[in-house]
Amino acid sequence: MSGLPKRVQVVEVGPRDGLQNEQAPVSVAQRIALCNALSHAGFTAIEAGSFVSPRWVPQMADTDQVLTGISRRPGTRYPVLVPNLAGFEAALAAGAEEVAVFAAASEPFSQKNINCSIAQSLERFAPVLQAAQQEGVRVRGYVSCVLGCPYQGQVAPDQVAAVAAQLLAMGCYEISLGDTIGRGTPGQARQLWEVVGRRVPRDQLAGHFHDTYGQALANVYASLLEGIAVFDSAVAGLGGCPYAQGATGNLATEDLLYLLEGLGIDTGVSLELAVQAGAWISAVLGRPNGAKAGQALGRRQQGALAERPGP
Ligand code: HMG
Ligand code: MG
């Protein structure tokens, strides 16, 4: 098929965006085991956690222990979220080589999520970007609520483009646009890339779709047609944002990989091993696996094991 990228970078955000919203306690050892299972599956970008206030997001406490505990696979990046310089310094001390700052396209969401206005958040990120440059740390930028806000409703694509362009100008190497509440549809997604693409090169943009309304995979396909080739997703469709009520999990990685494999698009990730990682973390959390392809392929893998002749 022409017009589609030949290769897609999948950014696995399960250990961060996934686990930050889960109610069941997950130990540091289990968070480390998840990251290791994901790198074993071939993911080369694994968001390992965040250095935010543990009062705000208790699930992400001890991310320093996660970062220092994982078996780093050569060629794999382990970005972590930082909301301010204090978070950046803690991340650096724990050996982070890549961080992500996170802004929003909606004022009320910015206030609820990080307790400041959009402009104040960008002011806070400026020293982070400066320090990161000095330390040789790569910085990714997020913009939330790009296709709707839980507090203000509609968000104008121009507003998304303005925030994304500022993050780029400040030195972020890539801007991930988050449909935080998973409300957007493919037509809106295409319009968004069209507008934002005028200010940020498309090869520096990524799609981050939550699946609240079942549109995430369709939004990815629409984005592929617009030349976007980096997508964030979480195994087993884990997660959501604690400050976006009603928002369910991320796009499930297994479903994304199944779509991309079907289109002949290379990701370098083993779907089979991603399915195993998704099944494992679902069992740890004691909740159903949110990945449809994960469930279907998991059943087939179990069937194949059962049919295998004994030793
Ligand atoms: P604040 O209360 O305005 O900050 O929170 P503060 O500077 O006044 O500090 C308050 C307390 O937090 C102090 O501790 C600080 O030391 C501490 P206390 O004196 O009360 O014991 N603190 C920190 N602790 C650890 N690490 C830090 C840090 N900074 C301050 N870096 C703050 C402001 C940003 C800290 C807070 O609002 C916060 O942590 N928010 C976290 C929000 C969050 O993690 N949201 C989820 C991630 S975003 C997301 O999911 C969307 C995304 O997936 C894309 C999409 O889907 O759209 C990325
Ligand atoms: Mg998210």
Side-chain angles (χ1 to χ4, degrees):
M1 203 178 283
S2 65
L4 295 173
K6 291 198 167 29
R7 193 180 163 83
V8 155
Q9 166 79 60
V10 177
V11 178
E12 170 57 48
V13 296
R16 194 280 302 173
D17 206 353
L19 295 183
Q20 75 179 9
N21 206 37
E22 295 293 335
Q23 297 315 312
V26 182
S27 69
V28 166
Q30 288 167 329
R31 290 165 65 191
I32 292 170
L34 176 60
C35 290
N36 289 344
L38 292 166
S39 65
H40 179 60
F43 292 95
T44 52
I46 301 168
E47 211 170 64
S50 44
F51 287 83
V52 298
S53 164
R55 286 182 205 254
W56 284 63
V57 187
Q59 291 90 335
M60 290 293 104
D62 304 322
T63 290
D64 55 339
Q65 292 176 37
V66 175
L67 257 193
T68 50
I70 49 182
S71 308
R72 281 174 190 259
R73 196 164 178 258
T76 302
R77 299 182 274 126
Y78 299 90
V80 287
L81 256 58
V82 298
N84 50 27
L85 195 56
F88 175 77
E89 280 165 356
L92 194 65
E97 290 169 350
E98 180 173 330
V99 299
V101 293
F102 48 109
S106 132
E107 286 293 352
F109 183 80
S110 184
Q111 290 290 350
K112 294 271 194 227
N113 194 39
I114 49 175
N115 206 23
C116 64
S117 69
I118 298 169
Q120 284 167 336
S121 74
L122 296 172
E123 275 167 33
R124 276 183 201 174
F125 300 153
V128 172
L129 276 134
Q130 268 167 17
Q133 204 172 20
Q134 277 164 17
E135 301 289 344
V137 169
R138 296 199 337 150
V139 185
R140 193 175 197 233
Y142 275 107
V143 185
S144 285
C145 297
V146 299
L147 293 173
C149 166
Y151 308 104
Q152 78 172 40
Q154 302 276 355
V155 173
D158 281 332
Q159 169 66 8
V160 178
V163 179
Q166 285 180 80
L167 288 172
L168 186 76
M170 288 165 72
C172 292
Y173 76 89
E174 181 174 279
I175 315 297
S176 177
L177 300 190
D179 182 11
T180 319
I181 52 174
R183 211 185 268 173
T185 53
Q188 292 171 309
R190 291 194 82 160
Q191 197 208 351
L192 181 72
W193 299 124
E194 164 70 29
V195 173
V196 180
R198 285 181 214 139
R199 299 187 64 178
V200 179
R202 289 181 195 215
D203 62 1
Q204 289 182 276
L205 286 169
H208 177 110
F209 296 105
H210 286 259
D211 203 27
T212 319
Y213 287 77
Q215 302 297 298
L217 210 50
N219 287 335
V220 166
Y221 190 68
S223 306
L224 287 168
L225 293 172
E226 290 291 332
I228 304 302
V230 183
F231 296 98
D232 306 348
S233 61
V235 278
L238 298 176
C241 175
Y243 297 100
Q245 256 198 0
T248 56
N250 287 83
L251 165 62
T253 303
E254 298 89 322
D255 297 353
L256 173 64
L257 293 174
Y258 186 78
L259 171 85
L260 296 172
E261 274 199 21
L263 291 168
I265 296 174
D266 182 33
T267 61
V269 178
S270 158
L271 175 54
E272 191 183 339
L273 293 179
V275 167
Q276 287 173 21
W280 177 78
I281 192 63
S282 300
V284 166
L285 294 166
R287 66 141 143 128
N289 189 335
K292 287 210 166 63
Q295 285 178 25
L297 292 168
R299 283 192 293 271
R300 280 180 47 187
Q301 283 179 14
Q302 276 178 353
L305 281 178
E307 279 165 23
R308 209 174 274 171

